[in-house]
Amino acid sequence: MIATQEKQERVILLGVELQETEHFEMSMKELASLAKTAGADVVSFYHQKRKQYDGKTLIGSGKLDEIKSLADADAIDTVIVNNRLTPRQNTNLEAVLGVKVIDRMQLILDIFAMRARSHEGKLQVHLAQLKYMLPRLAGQGVMLSRQAGGIGSRGPGESQLELNRRSIRNQIIDIERQLKQVERNRQTARDKRVDSDTFKIGLIGYTNAGKSTIMNILTNNTQYEADELFATLDATTKKIYLKDQFQATLTDTVGFIQDLPTELVAAFKSTLEESRHVDLLLHIIDASDANHAEQERVVLDILEELDMADIPRLAIYNKIDIADHLTATAFPNVRISAHQKGAQEHLRQIIIDEIRGLYQPFSLKLHQKDLYKLYELNKIALLDSYSFASETEEITGYISPSNQWKLERFYD
């Protein structure tokens, strides 16, 4: 098959602001970033203030005529709406404008389809898209034909979306069956990590906050990182050595975003749950983003939904070198620039300090003849410095309360 380069779609962004709408400007800027991540050429923005949405077309007829004129004059391919459209509104907008219309939810689903790399990730995206499209299939022939390619149609593909409802439901059942098997395999691996002595760290944060950068710095590895939304989608867990033989696991998961489609929250529950059983959450925050306080709130709200709010959490304000000013709202917190010299050691020390606060201190005496025991002791406990200037050395450190019984074999 010969690959062909897709033409960049020319798009108009449209948002409707109600009186009770919060952070509308932030949401529209985010929509523009999402559109560019999907490969769109954003030609123009339109927004309208209303007391309520128009049940037929979301916006008023006057604004609709303006958009229609621009779409015809500037050869617009697609209109992306910041609000969630009903199937009826979607159909009516396309009929009036004569171009493809998708909403914010479908745009996010499309980007997830671009980013999914693992088998599980692709299954989850496929499932979310089918559930989103199912109520939109009846009487949507025109819309589906227009969505045969380009932004908003990645993933299942035109042929699958044109299948009847029964076929779509059968696909959903089949994918859910496959995902249950994948989840059983994931749960087995997760249980092994939970039962192990290894300290577990989870990276969370708003999309594009710098989680993958932090992951790469701490693991000396290369995970895809870019200045774009949802650069990382699939959960990744890697081991890191913090001090001597003391290990920890570090898990990076999908970034959060406001108005995350409910279909994706459900579909990616198992992926997000990779951080449910960790000992410490590192909440990465982009200090340079003017809307970081609102982004923090979104992350904390999702943590509440996932019953993860009680996990010990440390806020890390990243990109502090390019932040104009910072009003920290999360405590405790630290401030860093991941790309600056010394960031790796700084991060490691931050984590070590947090572990000391979560673990319990201990001390024991070790004779020089038992030096070989230090290797095993280092694996289960975070030790302070020692010198063995005399035959017997007092070893101090910190250990998990659940592992304290393992110290018995090290006492004389």
Side-chain angles (χ1 to χ4, degrees), residues 339-385:
H339 288 298
Q340 287 187 339
K341 185 178 179 180
Q344 183 188 63
E345 288 309 310
H346 188 192
L347 280 168
R348 286 180 185 275
Q349 190 57 52
I350 288 169
I351 294 171
I352 289 171
D353 291 343
E354 285 298 306
I355 294 174
R356 285 173 174 155
L358 295 170
Y359 277 12
Q360 291 184 353
F362 73 91
S363 66
L364 56 85
K365 293 187 182 296
L366 205 62
H367 194 274
Q368 281 187 349
K369 65 181 176 59
D370 295 324
L371 280 177
Y372 68 92
K373 293 182 179 181
L374 279 174
Y375 181 80
E376 290 300 320
L377 184 58
N378 262 301
K379 293 171 89 172
I380 63 169
L382 189 62
L383 303 185
D384 295 325
S385 299

Side-chain angles (χ1 to χ4, degrees), residues 305-330:
E305 291 178 26
L306 295 172
D307 295 324
M308 294 169 59
D310 292 335
I311 299 174
R313 184 174 64 252
L314 174 67
I316 297 181
Y317 286 95
N318 187 29
K319 308 181 187 180
I320 197 70
D321 56 319
I322 55 174
D324 292 333
H325 62 277
L326 173 65
T327 302
T329 57

